[in-house]
């Protein structure tokens, strides 16, 4: 498996200008030995199937990318990350990729977006060429969804996380309808390794205030949800001017101060290199000892 990073962004559709280029910079910085392949209007055939043609005609680039990610992984293998993903710790992520490359037990890995719901991460996927989940998802978009089912793409949530659950159900994991709520340790289902939320989704939703940050956290997903036209003003602000994860943590701290509320459980105590920020831990412990004791207890009993 070659160390590739696939990125999809169509700048010929609204919002046109790519607002996530500073996230892309972290890919190069944190994973310098990986080759980044950028997919978009110049190298993607939007007439390849009915799903792509209809998505293009509807000016719906998010649903174009739903197909392109699986087509790219099917042809090349490697890693797919959504364009609104920031690489926080390349060393941790690279170790996961190396484990995948050398594993005989699984051919791909994903995470979960939310601890409570356990949706698989369609925004962070790594796969060897020939991985069964990739072929399964590619076939859905190429043959099965490229028909009248296209109309249900938003209405019935025909999007990555929900469709991936069908694969796991077909592999005998019918628990929780193919989702992984409450996942605390990695598991392997259908030759796919599923990692808990803290690895690739420390925040759920665009303006999430409850962060799950641990030593395993290596990817940050903004959840820009550019396919959703109408969002509240705060969410619109965040996806139009996306902050890096460290800036978002500071933003939440300032927001808590302004509101006069206790420090939220989402601030995180690790620097970008994964090391503990002892100064922040001590500072927060002095300001709110009850919260800090609860935080330590929750972490120790995970």
């Amino acid at each position: 498996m070659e160390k590739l990073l696939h990125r999809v962004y169509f700048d010929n559709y609204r919002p046109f200008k790519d607002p996530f280029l500073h996230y892309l910079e972290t890919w190069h910085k944190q994973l310098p030995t990986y080759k980044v392949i950028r997919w978009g209007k110049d190298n993607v055939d939007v007439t390849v199937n009915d799903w792509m043609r209809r998505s293009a005609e509807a000016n719906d680039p998010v649903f174009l990318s739903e197909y392109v990610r699986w087509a790219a992984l099917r042809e090349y293998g490697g890693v797919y990350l959504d364009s609104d993903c920031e690489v926080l710790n390349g060393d941790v992520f690279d170790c996961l990729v190396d484990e995948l490359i050398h594993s005989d037990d699984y051919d791909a890995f994903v995470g979960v977006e939310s601890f409570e719901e356990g949706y698989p991460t369609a925004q962070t996927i790594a796969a060897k060429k020939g991985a069964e989940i990739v072929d399964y998802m590619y076939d859905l978009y190429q043959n099965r969804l490229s028909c009248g089912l296209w109309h249900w793409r938003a209405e019935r949530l025909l999007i990555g996380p929900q469709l991936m659950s069908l694969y796991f159900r077909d592999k005998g994991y019918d628990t929780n309808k193919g989702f992984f709520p409450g996942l605390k340790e990695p598991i392997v289902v259908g030759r796919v390794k599923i990692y808990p939320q803290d690895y690739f989704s420390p925040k759920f939703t665009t303006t999430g205030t409850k962060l799950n940050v641990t030593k395993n956290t290596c990817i940050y997903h903004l959840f820009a949800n550019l396919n959703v036209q109408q969002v509240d003003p705060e969410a619109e602000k965040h996806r139009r001017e996306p902050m890096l994860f460290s800036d978002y943590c500071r933003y939440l701290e300032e927001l808590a101060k302004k509101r006069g509320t206790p420090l939220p459980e989402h601030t995180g105590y690790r620097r970008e290199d994964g090391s503990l920020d002892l100064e922040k831990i001590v500072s927060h412990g002095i300001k709110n000892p009850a919260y800090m004791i609860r935080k330590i207890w929750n972490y120790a009993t995970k």
Side-chain angles (χ1 to χ4, degrees):
M1 171 181 158
E2 190 176 357
K3 290 189 174 181
L4 305 174
L5 288 169
H6 299 283
R7 183 181 192 270
V8 181
Y9 191 88
F10 289 88
D11 57 9
N12 55 324
Y13 294 96
R14 194 173 300 277
F16 303 112
K17 183 180 178 181
D18 189 338
F20 309 117
L21 292 177
H22 55 318
Y23 287 4
L24 177 59
E25 291 175 6
T26 69
W27 299 20
H28 293 293
K29 180 180 178 180
Q30 292 286 338
L31 297 168
T33 62
Y34 287 62
K35 178 182 177 182
V36 177
I37 303 179
R38 300 173 65 175
W39 301 95
K41 63 181 177 64
D42 296 327
N43 59 357
V44 172
D45 181 4
V46 298
T47 67
V48 68
N49 58 39
D50 201 31
W51 176 277
M52 293 290 282
R53 283 192 295 272
R54 292 186 180 210
S55 296
E57 291 168 3
N59 296 314
D60 209 335
V62 170
F63 286 97
L64 291 174
S65 77
E66 289 283 338
Y67 168 81
V68 174
R69 71 192 67 189
W70 299 109
L73 289 172
R74 182 173 181 267
E75 183 172 356
Y76 298 99
V79 175
Y80 169 80
L81 297 176
D82 269 3
S83 58
D84 62 335
C85 282
E86 175 186 353
V87 180
L88 298 176
N89 192 320
D91 290 338
V92 170
F93 190 76
D94 187 48
C95 283
L96 301 182
V97 173
D98 281 337
E99 289 174 10
L100 167 63
I101 291 172
H102 295 102
S103 177
D104 294 325
D105 298 324
Y106 57 99
D107 302 318
F109 72 67
V110 297
V112 296
E113 294 183 340
S114 163
F115 180 78
E116 288 76 17
E117 286 84 7
Y119 303 143
T121 57
Q123 93 274 4
T124 300
I125 311 157
K128 299 175 184 177
K129 190 173 180 179
E132 191 172 350
I133 188 174
V134 174
D135 288 343
Y136 181 94
M137 295 298 294
Y138 174 84
D139 180 64
L140 282 181
Y141 288 99
Q142 180 70 19
N143 300 310
R144 303 176 190 278
L145 299 177
S146 295
C147 63
L149 291 175
W150 180 88
H151 296 289
W152 282 357
R153 69 196 189 285
E155 297 170 22
R156 305 294 177 91
L157 293 178
L158 298 183
I159 55 179
Q162 280 67 29
L163 291 173
M164 290 164 71
S165 72
L166 298 177
Y167 171 81
F168 296 118
R169 295 182 77 171
D170 271 1
K171 292 301 175 182
Y173 186 82
D174 204 38
T175 307
N176 299 304
K177 299 182 179 180
F179 299 124
F180 305 92
L183 186 66
K184 293 184 178 181
E185 297 293 337
I187 61 173
V188 176
V189 177
R191 297 193 61 79
V192 179
K193 192 168 188 177
I194 302 99
Y195 288 97
Q197 182 202 0
D198 56 315
Y199 282 79
F200 314 134
S201 298
K203 171 171 70 68
F204 185 57
T205 75
T206 309
T207 56
T209 57
K210 183 180 180 182
L211 297 194
N212 186 1
V213 181
T214 71
K215 61 181 174 53
N216 301 318
T217 306
C218 50
I219 302 294
Y220 165 60
H221 182 220
L222 173 68
F223 287 95
N225 295 330
L226 294 178
N227 59 303
V228 180
Q229 299 299 319
Q230 299 296 326
V231 297
D232 64 80
E234 191 67 17
E236 182 65 20
K237 173 185 174 182
H238 283 287
R239 68 183 190 176
R240 293 298 180 187
E241 300 177 2
M243 288 181 272
L244 293 172
F245 185 64
S246 56
D247 294 328
Y248 187 72
C249 289
R250 284 191 287 270
Y251 160 80
L252 290 176
E253 290 183 10
E254 290 300 318
L255 192 63
K257 290 178 184 177
K258 289 179 181 178
R259 293 175 175 175
T261 56
L263 288 167
E265 293 188 39
H266 53 257
T267 50
Y269 295 105
R270 291 191 179 274
R271 302 184 181 91
E272 291 186 3
D273 63 0
S275 62
L276 285 170
D277 189 337
L278 296 179
E279 183 179 345
K280 181 184 286 187
I281 293 173
V282 172
S283 174
H284 288 187
I286 293 172
K287 293 176 182 176
N288 195 336
Y291 162 74
M292 186 56 65
I293 291 171
R294 186 172 70 253
K295 182 81 173 177
I296 294 171
W297 172 258
N298 288 341
Y299 183 79
T301 55
K302 268 189 170 183

